[in-house]
Amino acid sequence: MGKEEKLLLKYFFAALLAFAMFYTVLTRSSFYDEDGLPVAGIQNDTLKISGENIAGSYALLRLFESGKSPEEAYNPEIQTDFVKNVTGANGVFRSFSAPTLPLVIVPFAELAYGEFYSMWLTWGLFFFSASLLLLFPFIQAVLLTFAFPALFYAFSFGGGGLFYAAALIFLLTKADKFPKTAGFIGGLSFVSPFYGSACVVALFLKKCKAAAFLALAFGAFIVAGAFSRYGASGFLEAFEGGIAALKENPCGFASVIGASACSGASPVLALVFQIFAIVLTVVAAFGIFKRKTAKENVKNAFFCAAVVLCFPMFEAAQYAVLCASSAFLICDVRERGSSGIFEKAVLLSVFLAPYADPFFAVSFGFSVIPVIAAGLAFVCRERSF
């Protein structure tokens, strides 16, 4: 097979994946009416409202801005009642986002939920697609924007995955050229303290100390603002709310601790598995980032996969971060070629996750996402030699 024929085949395959995923999103959207509610006859625990996770964060914002105390704002029953009252959606809604998130999105507090959700999804998709342009030519970036399941998960569950993935891609590729912008983006990522911290680590790994300290300063400013506006108890309530959600519904988390607890492990044993995964990931990262043969794209891909493996509260709504990992890996494969069937299978699994996850969950009792993350991390380690 000639070089041009191989290139044509790759474009055809990418276009096929993009069409399949876009069709899946359109099919999913047909389950909802113009208000984002499931059409009559199919409302259940699976389909509650488009962008389910962001609906909880929207409720958190509105409750805070209406003068509710942190104890009330983080109460899942009050959040659920609020979402039902303003949208008519049934089901349970809860958000345990840090108070930094409602602080940053305060300017949009007066929007109706449908407008808020549309704004969130549109800008997230814009930034995610723009970040892919930093890695790929225009046509490839467009195809991958729709081929990656990031749009599907963002449409279905909301979440900040598109924004976090875009931030990580920019910081890992352009921080040295645009340190001030990188510092601003890193600081803004403290809407999630975990992802903000991950962005600071990424900047230090890239030896962009000025950008890292700027990110820390801006992030501290956001945290201080949340303390001032919502009180210190807001952070405590968010932490306790996350722990409660993990205990009550571990299968809702696509993390190591969630998968372990969902499979029947005790909370203590699930925590041990999560700590072991973090330690193993850090040890592997130390080896990869010190190894002179490891290419930058491999390091970047591993870092994004490591973020997924180390975050106990990782959800499917943040799947775009895993897409960022595979994007970097695809760049390395494009430059140096693929090394085996396992590597191709892992990359393909990233695109097929929405289709495989329900069957995997039925067979094994937990999400396939942490398995894919571990597979990507392993492939990165092998390609680092």
Side-chain angles (χ1 to χ4, degrees), residues 52-369:
E52 294 171 12
N53 289 31
I54 202 63
S57 297
Y58 176 77
L60 179 65
L61 166 65
R62 293 288 299 274
L63 289 169
F64 264 134
E65 293 306 307
S66 67
K68 299 293 185 183
S69 67
E71 291 78 10
E72 295 173 302
Y74 281 100
N75 187 316
E77 294 180 359
I78 296 177
Q79 291 178 359
T80 297
D81 289 341
F82 180 87
V83 174
K84 184 174 183 178
N85 290 335
V86 299
T87 67
N90 293 320
V92 176
F93 297 88
R94 72 188 306 164
S95 173
F96 46 86
S97 298
T100 46
L101 176 60
L103 174 73
V104 171
I105 59 176
V106 158
F108 311 107
E110 297 304 316
L111 293 178
Y113 175 72
E115 297 171 340
F116 177 83
Y117 166 68
S118 298
M119 178 273 300
W120 184 268
L121 181 63
T122 301
W123 280 107
L125 184 61
F126 170 78
F127 286 119
F128 180 67
S129 59
S131 69
L132 290 179
L133 281 171
L134 300 176
L135 303 176
F136 302 98
F138 179 79
I139 295 178
Q140 292 182 25
V142 171
L143 289 175
L144 286 172
T145 296
F146 293 100
F148 279 134
L151 175 60
F152 171 81
Y153 284 114
F155 172 80
S156 302
F157 306 115
L162 292 172
F163 294 97
Y164 301 139
L168 286 171
I169 290 175
F170 179 83
L171 296 181
L172 290 169
T173 56
K174 299 296 181 182
D176 56 337
K177 294 184 179 180
F178 306 99
K180 293 180 181 178
T181 304
F184 173 78
I185 292 175
L188 194 59
S189 298
F190 274 86
V191 293
S192 165
F194 176 84
Y195 281 104
S197 301
C199 287
V200 170
V201 172
L203 290 171
F204 275 118
L205 286 174
K206 291 297 176 180
K207 296 182 171 60
C208 300
K209 294 182 179 180
F213 285 119
L214 180 59
L216 282 172
F218 186 39
F221 176 76
I222 292 176
V223 171
F227 265 103
S228 176
R229 191 175 184 89
Y230 305 123
S233 60
F235 288 89
L236 178 61
E237 290 295 329
F239 178 77
E240 293 179 346
I243 297 300
L246 188 58
K247 289 180 178 179
E248 295 170 15
N249 183 30
C251 299
F253 294 88
S255 60
V256 174
I257 190 172
S260 302
C262 189
S263 300
S266 67
V268 174
L269 185 58
L271 179 60
V272 169
F273 283 137
Q274 179 66 64
I275 294 174
F276 178 75
I278 293 173
V279 172
L280 197 63
T281 301
V282 171
V283 171
F286 183 81
I288 291 174
F289 280 88
K290 286 290 185 180
R291 199 165 291 133
K292 294 182 179 181
T293 55
K295 302 297 183 181
E296 285 302 310
N297 282 324
V298 171
K299 294 178 182 179
N300 295 342
F302 182 87
F303 183 83
C304 293
V307 168
V308 176
L309 289 171
C310 292
F311 190 20
M313 313 309 290
F314 188 85
E315 299 171 301
Q318 302 159 19
Y319 190 80
V321 178
L322 211 54
C323 294
S325 174
S326 58
F328 283 119
L329 199 54
I330 290 171
C331 285
D332 190 64
V333 170
R334 185 182 58 180
E335 294 174 1
R336 299 194 292 152
S338 178
S339 61
I341 188 67
F342 177 76
E343 186 176 285
K344 294 176 181 177
V346 170
L347 280 173
L348 184 61
S349 69
V350 174
F351 296 94
L352 300 182
Y355 313 109
D357 206 23
F359 300 101
F360 192 91
V362 170
S363 301
F364 298 97
F366 58 89
S367 173
V368 72
I369 292 176

